[in-house]
Amino acid sequence: MSDGPRVAVTGTPGTGKTTTTTLLDGPVIHLNDLIREAGLWSERDEGRGSLVADLDAVREAVGDWSGVAESHLAHHLDADRVVVLRCRPDTLERRLRERGADEAKATENAESEALDVILSEAVERHGLDSVYEVDTTDRTPADVAADIEAVVTGDRGPSAGDVEFTDYL
Ligand code: ADP
């Protein structure tokens, strides 16, 4: 058995999961790297130019994990606490374009963010008491990392539904 809570950090691509979890003290499982390196995918999504992860294989590969795991798929793992990073859709779209995403992908992710898709999935699977929503808009990665740390240490209570982006639809 491993010690400590299992903290999954999820969110729409571009919300800052990679950037912020890299600032944390402890080890972090970067699930997307694992999926790519260990071949834990079942098919290619040609339209999106991405891999479709085999979630059962991912769960088996991480096994009895602890600490922090990050990915837009992290909420599909068993976890004790789930951090959902959020970002205002127009800001998210800009972040994605700045890192080279094509127009269609940036728009699709901004719409998904406005519709609370990942938040809803996280609440459905883990329940309101295990979900910690953190708005990253107009904040620094260091501030967001401190919020994630507070979830890990138990110094922050659960919250979901405080962030509202439907105006951007
Ligand atoms: P993800 O892993 O969720 O896809 P990344 O960390 O790869 O996101 O990219 C997020 C981008 O947004 C980076 O270019 C980062 O510099 C930028 N960014 C701006 N503000 C923040 C913030 N407060 N938290 C995290 N990332 C931010």
Side-chain angles (χ1 to χ4, degrees):
M1 279 293 279
S2 307
D3 296 328
R6 298 162 299 178
V7 180
V9 178
T10 188
T12 307
T15 49
K17 302 174 294 293
T18 314
T19 307
T20 57
T21 56
T22 303
L23 300 175
L24 300 174
D25 281 338
V28 175
I29 303 170
H30 296 283
L31 286 178
N32 292 1
D33 292 345
L34 178 72
I35 290 164
R36 216 176 311 110
E37 285 158 16
L40 307 177
W41 50 278
S42 49
E43 57 183 301
R44 275 178 202 283
D45 184 332
E46 300 295 350
R48 292 196 173 86
S50 58
L51 302 175
V52 179
D54 178 344
L55 291 175
D56 286 332
V58 175
R59 287 188 200 101
E60 197 177 316
V62 296
D64 189 13
W65 66 288
S66 64
V68 173
E70 70 83 17
S71 162
H72 65 295
L73 301 170
H75 58 288
H76 293 288
L77 297 180
D78 289 335
D80 301 298
R81 301 170 194 162
V82 180
V83 177
V84 182
L85 297 187
R86 304 301 308 271
C87 181
R88 214 172 54 214
D90 54 345
T91 302
L92 186 80
E93 209 168 333
R94 194 173 63 234
R95 283 186 194 174
L96 289 168
R97 285 217 195 94
E98 276 169 6
R99 83 175 188 199
D102 65 44
E103 201 79 8
K105 202 168 210 168
T107 304
E108 181 183 355
N109 282 314
E111 283 174 1
S112 170
E113 180 64 1
L115 287 167
D116 300 336
V117 171
I118 288 195
L119 176 74
S120 308
E121 290 176 2
V123 170
E124 190 176 351
R125 180 177 169 97
H126 298 275
L128 277 173
D129 290 348
S130 301
V131 173
Y132 301 72
E133 196 176 26
V134 174
D135 191 357
T136 71
T137 316
D138 301 327
R139 301 187 64 215
T140 66
D143 281 344
V144 174
D147 283 355
I148 297 171
E149 194 66 46
V151 174
V152 173
T153 56
D155 291 315
R156 185 185 169 109
S159 63
D162 296 347
V163 178
E164 170 63 68
F165 294 139
T166 44
D167 286 357
Y168 291 87
L169 284 173

